[in-house]
Amino acid sequence: MTNKTFHISGRIIGQKTRQGVAGLLVEAWDKDLIIDDLLGSTMTKADGTFQLSFDESYFRELFSDKQPDLYFKIYNQEELIKSTEDSVLWNVKEQESEVVIELEAVPPLENNPESKLTVTFINNSKVDNSAVYIGFVTGVSTVSIVNLKDSTPIKSVEDVDGAYPAKGNWYSLDQLPSGIGIKSFSGRIYVCYTKPWEVQRKGYEPAQAVNDPNLFLRYDKMELTFTGASADVANLTSIDYWSIPMSLNKLYEGKVVQTAKGLLPNVTTQEVYDALNKLTTPPVSGLDKTWPALVPGQWPDSPSDATFARIVGPSSYPPVEGIPVTPYDLFKDYLNYLLTKFGPDTIKGDGGVPNLGNGVIAHIVGDFAGVGPNVPSKGPQSKQTYTLEAIIDQDLNITLTGTVSGVTGNTTMLYKNVDLLNPSGIYGGNTPYCLNGASKLTYPLNDVYGWIGGDLFSGLNIGAVGSTAKSSEGIVGGLNSQLWFKLPISSFFANMQPNYQYYNQWAAALSKLSEAYNFPYSDRFAHVFVSLNPKDVDTLEIVLEDATVKMD
């Protein structure tokens, strides 16, 4: 006997808005006297519609002549938000049936697979469109981008046949007159002027190394994640280097609703160049065989006709005395200051901060919200609190010791001096640590330990650790660490260390000029993200600001 096939189509709408709701899981159930049967499930599309098909084999085990009595369960992620069990569709026929289900409250969707983002480029750089190249470097395997000019797929830069070096996939602005449409992308969007960089190997991105063949090209990047999730974001970044100023405009229904400015109002590209260039002209690290961070500048083998490429940031250099040798301050003077004022041979309160001294240089105290939309109930990625003291020893090592609510007993995290002073350490926020006496180094992850370390490194970068400056909350250095980030940004850097330059001078200079990331944890207190929640964005404008730079 041939099974009858049943076709169900429907739409999920908001009761008030009458608009379809995308990205919801719809389950169709057959109402039975004994056990209800799950007949099928599907996701709603962009307009809230869904279709289901199933045959009678799903429900005729008990009653051979029975027709299905349908009801529906609607889920947002794993949360049941609607059931129609109290309004069953009795004796559904095999022909197509249609149903409309209304939601009293439309939930914020964590993931909308049908969402799309239009990205357009506004060229104020004074570089001709034909000489501006755009490339996409992906952080995930699922990428869906099209050229809105003709709907052809956009390839990532590294999507090549494996023969290296390779030119990669680049698109001039002439080729993208209408911009691009993104359904799924997580990674970096690169901008290159005059000539795009070439792919040297699998997983390659340009490095600030003397032997990198793309060193003297002018390129920069911004970061973007769009997958249809409410947590999607874009940001500008000047952590690794500064080269091409960009701004971001988020639009919804034709109106700008949020921005991130690569140049703050009345700031020029030349001003940023001048402020960053003088930080290492001359070099201030005190190390031998170094040169300023300006490329080309004094970098070896620079072409005679080379024009401005970039200024390399302090976290992009190799370990101390590697090539190129960092020209930036190493934070060693800052650590020595903390040792002198608050080290093991001092008495608490004598250094000008009542609860610092006898080795204690900071109180690392706060809350960790956990990781992801579905936060684990236990483990290092779960929600928890922490209360630790930062203690410096005679060798300028820093140990965090205290309690973490999700861990039984005392927790210790030892940061060794050599790792703190490396450019990837305090500057880069990527200092490895020894956890609970282990000899093996652990590198920071997206967990409570990485977050705790972020408090310490943020405090060192902004000058809060050991600061005797006064605030409305009390003396800054004596505050619990997460209170630092609630203080006005204008109180950071030089205002926290008025007598010395004990802070990240690169970040301090950029904080007055740009809303781009200036060190890895600047999002704890500064406006760096543009939200790409699909419910209130349809277009992102990437504005290429005036590119004019005059080198001395």
Side-chain angles (χ1 to χ4, degrees):
M1 182 176 66
T2 302
N3 288 327
K4 297 178 180 179
T5 300
F6 296 79
H7 302 282
I8 307 296
S9 62
R11 190 175 185 223
I12 310 297
I13 63 173
Q15 190 177 73
K16 294 181 180 180
T17 65
R18 315 307 296 175
Q19 299 297 308
V21 183
L24 298 177
L25 175 66
V26 180
E27 292 182 350
W29 289 78
D30 176 37
K31 184 70 174 175
D32 262 342
L33 294 175
I34 304 174
I35 299 175
D36 294 353
D37 298 314
L38 175 64
L39 303 178
S41 63
T42 189
M43 301 292 290
T44 58
K45 297 180 180 179
D47 59 357
T49 59
F50 66 89
Q51 289 83 37
L52 282 165
S53 296
F54 50 89
D55 64 49
E56 61 185 343
S57 64
Y58 280 90
F59 53 86
R60 71 176 185 185
E61 290 92 344
L62 295 178
F63 307 100
S64 59
D65 61 346
K66 180 178 178 291
Q67 292 177 323
D69 303 321
L70 291 182
Y71 69 91
F72 300 88
K73 293 181 180 180
I74 316 300
Y75 291 85
N76 178 30
Q77 297 291 300
E78 298 178 357
E79 179 186 1
L80 177 65
I81 60 173
K82 177 80 173 183
S83 172
T84 65
E85 191 172 1
D86 58 352
S87 54
V88 173
L89 298 177
W90 300 104
N91 296 317
V92 174
K93 308 295 184 185
E94 68 178 288
Q95 66 265 25
E96 291 196 10
S97 299
E98 295 185 359
V99 61
V100 174
I101 301 172
E102 297 182 1
L103 300 179
E104 291 79 9
V106 177
L109 300 182
E110 288 303 319
N111 188 17
N112 183 348
E114 298 296 330
S115 296
K116 294 180 182 179
L117 177 70
T118 295
V119 177
T120 59
F121 301 90
I122 299 176
N123 185 9
N124 297 333
S125 68
K126 299 182 181 177
V127 178
D128 191 80
N129 280 357
S130 63
V132 177
Y133 296 91
I134 308 297
F136 304 87
V137 175
T138 60
V140 296
S141 57
T142 303
V143 177
S144 179
I145 311 175
V146 297
N147 186 340
L148 293 179
K149 175 185 176 181
D150 52 17
S151 298
T152 56
I154 293 285
K155 293 185 176 181
S156 62
V157 172
E158 70 270 35
D159 185 6
V160 295
D161 60 9
Y164 301 106
K167 291 187 179 298
N169 300 295
W170 294 92
Y171 303 86
S172 73
L173 287 189
D174 278 345
Q175 297 173 292
L176 304 172
S178 303
I180 60 172
I182 296 179
K183 186 175 180 181
S184 177
F185 176 79
S186 180
R188 299 181 177 95
I189 299 178
Y190 273 86
V191 179
C192 303
Y193 289 160
T194 306
K195 181 181 178 181
W197 51 263
E198 294 187 355
V199 183
Q200 302 301 305
R201 58 188 175 275
K202 185 177 181 179
Y204 169 85
E205 289 184 63
Q208 311 314 304
V210 293
N211 61 349
D212 190 293
N214 296 302
L215 177 65
F216 298 107
L217 301 179
R218 190 173 182 183
Y219 56 78
D220 215 322
K221 63 193 174 188
M222 55 81 63
E223 298 171 328
L224 184 150
T225 294
F226 185 82
T227 61
S230 61
D232 289 346
V233 294
N235 68 267
L236 306 170
T237 177
S238 295
I239 297 173
D240 299 331
Y241 48 81
W242 178 86
S243 177
I244 296 173
M246 299 178 239
S247 294
L248 304 177
N249 295 328
K250 166 185 169 179
L251 285 79
Y252 185 61
E253 296 181 346
K255 296 181 179 180
V256 175
V257 293
Q258 190 182 2
T259 64
K261 298 295 185 184
L263 297 175
L264 290 176
N266 302 317
V267 172
T268 67
T269 302
Q270 188 67 42
E271 284 181 79
V272 182
Y273 166 85
D274 291 339
L276 297 180
N277 187 40
K278 75 177 184 180
L279 296 178
T280 61
T281 308
V284 295
S285 64
L287 302 175
D288 295 332
K289 299 180 181 179
T290 188
W291 55 80
L294 171 65
V295 181
Q298 299 175 31
W299 287 61
D301 302 321
S302 59
S304 58
D305 60 347
T307 57
F308 171 69
R310 75 195 59 82
I311 299 175
V312 180
S315 63
S316 290
Y317 282 84
V320 173
E321 298 185 2
I323 303 298
V325 179
T326 180
Y328 288 94
D329 171 71
L330 293 175
F331 278 103
K332 188 172 184 179
D333 288 345
Y334 192 177
L335 296 184
N336 274 316
Y337 165 79
L338 294 172
L339 177 63
T340 301
K341 294 278 285 186
F342 310 109
D345 296 331
T346 65
I347 298 173
K348 281 193 176 183
D350 282 3
V353 183
N355 54 356
L356 299 187
N358 193 26
V360 178
I361 60 171
H363 297 277
I364 307 301
V365 179
D367 301 305
F368 175 61
V371 177
N374 300 307
V375 178
S377 60
K378 59 183 179 179
Q381 293 190 326
S382 64
K383 180 180 180 180
Q384 48 200 299
T385 60
Y386 52 91
T387 303
L388 305 100
E389 290 183 331
I391 299 173
I392 195 167
D393 65 24
Q394 297 292 351
D395 296 322
L396 304 183
N397 304 313
I398 296 177
T399 299
L400 303 183
T401 180
T403 59
V404 179
S405 64
V407 180
T408 302
N410 194 67
T411 293
T412 62
M413 299 169 66
L414 168 63
Y415 296 95
K416 297 180 180 179
N417 168 256
V418 64
D419 298 316
L420 290 167
L421 297 185
N422 272 335
S424 63
I426 295 174
Y427 277 121
N430 196 36
T431 312
Y433 58 91
C434 297
L435 181 63
N436 295 330
S439 58
K440 181 181 178 181
L441 290 174
T442 299
Y443 281 85
L445 299 172
N446 186 15
D447 59 18
V448 67
Y449 301 112
W451 184 265
I452 290 169
D455 273 18
L456 173 65
F457 301 128
S458 296
L460 290 166
N461 274 279
I462 65 176
V465 177
S467 172
T468 58
K470 295 180 180 179
S471 74
S472 60
E473 301 290 336
I475 296 177
V476 172
L479 299 177
N480 290 344
S481 56
Q482 287 204 352
L483 289 178
W484 295 335
F485 314 128
K486 297 180 180 180
L487 298 175
I489 296 177
S490 60
S491 68
F492 293 174
F493 305 116
N495 288 322
M496 287 192 174
Q497 297 288 345
N499 299 318
Y500 311 95
Q501 290 186 321
Y502 295 157
Y503 50 85
N504 182 334
Q505 294 167 51
W506 171 273
L510 279 170
S511 69
K512 300 176 182 178
L513 305 168
S514 171
E515 290 179 333
Y517 259 107
N518 49 53
F519 76 94
Y521 296 105
S522 55
D523 60 317
R524 296 208 173 183
F525 51 81
H527 164 74
V528 294
F529 288 120
V530 169
S531 168
L532 299 181
N533 186 338
K535 72 177 184 180
D536 60 8
V537 63
D538 48 43
T539 303
L540 181 70
E541 294 177 342
I542 300 177
V543 182
L544 307 180
E545 306 286 6
D546 184 358
T548 306
V549 167
K550 181 179 179 182
M551 295 189 296
D552 295 333

